[in-house]
Amino acid sequence: MRKILLAAAFCGAAVPVAAGPVSSFQLKNGLEVVVIEDHRAPVAVQMMWYRVGAADEPPGHSGIAHFFEHLMFKATDDLKAGEFSDTVEAQGGDDNAFTSWDYTAYYQRVAADRLDLMMKLEADRMRDLQLTDDVVATERDVILEERSQRVDSDPGSLFSEQTRAAQFLNHPYGVPIIGWRHEIAALGRAEAEAFYRTYYAPNNAVLVVAGDVVPDAVRAMAEAHYGPLKPTADIPPRLRPQEPPQLAERRLSMSDPRVSEPFLMRSYLAPARRSGDQVEAAALVYLAELLGGSGTTSLLARKLQFEDPKVVHSYAWYDGTAVDSGLFGFGLMPLPGVTPARAEAAMDAVIADFLAIGPDPVAFERIRTQLHASEVYAQDDVQTLANRYGEALAVGLTVADVQDWPRVLQAVTPEDVMQAARKVLDQRNAVSGWLLTEETK
């Protein structure tokens, strides 16, 4: 969950995220395009981001966004099933896809002179998938098996799923991305085709191209391949059910014979990054790093692992790139012989002391330096850059927000962090859960 690269020392002012110039434009059919130039190597990354994820699924159809991620690799009017990835591999490239609660994204990384072919392939499957009952049924079985292997056979994944469902009382962020098993099993061709026709459209997508490219050439290719695609009229607005005030902490425990050591998971509702006003989110990045970002220097590590050992390891995290709500959380594993109650009480004492005293100035400045270094290092990978811009635009941020993020991080003050901490670390917003061995009490 940590996204910070640790650097020994790095000084200077914040720099833009992009390795080279960044430009953007929109096609007449509504497709947004972002071009990130990086001419250090003859490589290009194409990412297509659709503004639809698990939180946008119709009630009762959980898992359909992830299901459709799989179906996008099936046959089109021009390609056989599997031929998309085979073609990318034949060109020396690689491709994949992923789904979140807020978006579904597809990417290819190839030699820059193969970009035109990649656009042709991606445009083909945006509107021309050829689904059959057999294809849908076969892939549905694949996803049910994926759920069996990745979730149902893993007590940690099962418990994480349960705690997230408890965290969101009303919002669909509480529904697992892969879907609930009984609802996956009910998905059919009609549901898949309706989802595809509605959401897989140029006016619901962001194309990000990064690497050894120039904007004029990208525009010409995009116009040729994506320009003729028809937009979807009346795409449903992203008006998800919102959370009511949360007035009481929820606590869970789950025992499983496959668990070797007890483990605490705790999460809090937290503000997400907001376009034009990212200060609060940036302060929460600092808060996570200060409390549990490092296994050696963070406050929880120093207090609970070294000064008065009670845990094997501990961490804190913040995830704030979302349409509606972010999350802040903690985790820890007690030392043998330390009860879960003692370990959790020790963690709560460290948090209470932090809220009373505030951050250590030396630690705060060290994290500021590390954050600056990580922003600089991020420029080394065109796929990382493409991912940053695509994810941001898919959840409602802008190119300007992405470019301003390093400056916002560097401008955070200890007072900003404390204000965010007092707002977020409210037990009424928390879900605290213990994954236990069968013997743990």
Side-chain angles (χ1 to χ4, degrees):
M1 297 178 184
R2 294 182 58 226
K3 299 179 180 179
I4 307 303
L5 296 173
L6 300 182
F10 204 104
C11 301
V15 296
V17 172
V22 177
S23 56
S24 61
F25 54 89
Q26 187 174 62
L27 303 187
K28 291 181 180 179
N29 59 11
L31 178 67
E32 294 183 44
V33 184
V34 176
V35 182
I36 307 166
E37 296 183 60
D38 185 338
H39 301 290
R40 293 173 296 178
V43 174
V45 173
Q46 173 180 240
M47 301 192 80
M48 184 64 75
W49 297 74
Y50 292 94
R51 291 187 176 99
V52 62
D56 301 296
E57 297 165 338
H61 294 172
S62 68
I64 196 168
H66 172 255
F67 186 21
F68 218 87
E69 175 202 318
H70 284 237
L71 293 175
M72 282 286 278
F73 292 88
K74 300 304 178 182
T76 71
D77 57 345
D78 295 327
L79 297 173
K80 298 177 182 177
E83 191 175 354
F84 186 106
S85 293
D86 289 344
T87 303
V88 176
E89 184 178 2
Q91 303 303 312
D94 62 85
D95 73 312
N96 214 323
F98 49 90
T99 307
S100 85
W101 284 274
D102 290 315
Y103 50 76
T104 309
Y106 303 82
Y107 69 86
Q108 305 87 42
R109 184 183 179 102
V110 293
D113 62 0
R114 302 297 194 271
L115 178 60
D116 186 76
L117 175 60
M118 295 303 105
M119 286 199 187
K120 178 182 178 182
L121 296 175
E122 196 66 79
D124 181 42
R125 68 178 175 178
M126 180 182 282
R127 281 312 214 184
D128 290 330
L129 277 183
Q130 305 294 303
L131 299 179
T132 66
D133 290 334
D134 287 344
V135 166
V136 171
T138 299
E139 201 60 35
R140 184 179 60 227
D141 290 342
V142 169
I143 293 169
L144 286 168
E145 180 60 25
E146 180 183 343
R147 181 178 169 96
S148 294
Q149 292 183 4
R150 295 188 178 184
V151 181
D152 298 336
S153 64
D154 178 9
S157 295
L158 282 171
F159 192 59
S160 179
E161 189 176 80
Q162 293 293 307
T163 57
R164 189 174 182 103
Q167 178 71 79
F168 291 96
L169 301 174
N170 196 44
H171 196 286
Y173 281 163
V175 176
I177 292 170
I178 198 169
W180 301 114
R181 173 172 285 278
H182 66 288
E183 292 185 350
I184 300 170
L187 295 176
R189 179 180 172 185
E191 292 83 9
E193 288 184 333
F195 189 85
Y196 180 55
R197 287 194 303 269
T198 300
Y199 293 108
Y200 277 70
N203 56 324
N204 197 45
V206 179
L207 171 66
V208 182
V209 178
D212 191 18
V213 297
V214 293
D216 287 347
V218 172
R219 182 189 287 270
M221 286 184 274
E223 290 280 9
H225 297 298
Y226 297 112
L229 302 180
K230 293 183 179 180
T232 293
D234 302 321
I235 291 176
R238 304 182 95 173
L239 300 177
R240 291 100 164 247
Q242 296 299 299
E243 283 297 293
Q246 298 198 0
L247 307 178
E249 179 186 11
R250 276 131 288 148
R251 297 192 65 86
L252 299 85
S253 66
M254 186 177 93
S255 299
D256 193 292
R258 297 167 292 182
V259 176
S260 59
E261 300 292 340
F263 198 88
L264 170 71
M265 299 180 185
R266 180 187 291 174
S267 61
Y268 303 78
L269 293 180
R273 289 171 64 183
R274 289 289 170 252
S275 182
D277 183 11
Q278 303 182 88
V279 174
E280 195 169 32
L284 289 168
V285 172
Y286 276 78
L287 181 64
E289 288 299 308
L290 286 162
L291 291 176
S294 166
T296 56
T297 61
S298 68
L299 192 58
L300 287 174
R302 288 193 294 107
K303 296 294 185 181
L304 302 184
Q305 294 170 220
F306 301 111
E307 293 180 12
D308 183 12
K310 286 187 174 62
V311 306
V312 176
H313 69 89
S314 58
Y315 63 85
W317 57 273
Y318 168 61
D319 183 3
T321 305
V323 171
D324 292 314
S325 176
L327 287 174
F328 190 96
F330 297 102
L332 63 78
M333 179 183 290
L335 282 167
V338 177
T339 65
R342 282 183 62 206
E344 186 174 359
M347 183 184 79
D348 285 336
V350 173
I351 295 170
D353 286 346
F354 178 85
L355 290 172
I357 299 170
D360 174 70
V362 174
F364 189 90
E365 292 305 318
R366 180 179 67 247
I367 288 168
R368 191 195 304 278
T369 299
Q370 292 168 356
L371 288 168
H372 176 56
S374 79
E375 295 300 317
V376 173
Y377 297 150
Q379 299 179 80
D380 247 358
D381 184 353
V382 292
Q383 190 156 334
T384 297
L385 291 173
N387 191 79
R388 285 189 171 203
Y389 278 90
E391 182 182 34
L393 269 67
V395 302
L397 298 171
T398 66
V399 169
D401 291 324
V402 179
Q403 293 177 327
D404 199 37
W405 181 242
R407 183 200 62 78
V408 175
L409 283 171
Q410 291 301 296
V412 169
T413 66
E415 291 73 23
D416 294 330
V417 173
M418 294 309 298
Q419 183 176 349
R422 294 186 184 103
K423 176 179 179 178
V424 170
L425 300 180
D426 182 339
Q427 290 299 102
R428 292 172 297 179
N429 289 332
V431 172
S432 301
W434 277 97
L435 180 57
L436 303 171
T437 67
E438 288 192 325
E439 297 78 20
T440 305
K441 301 296 182 181

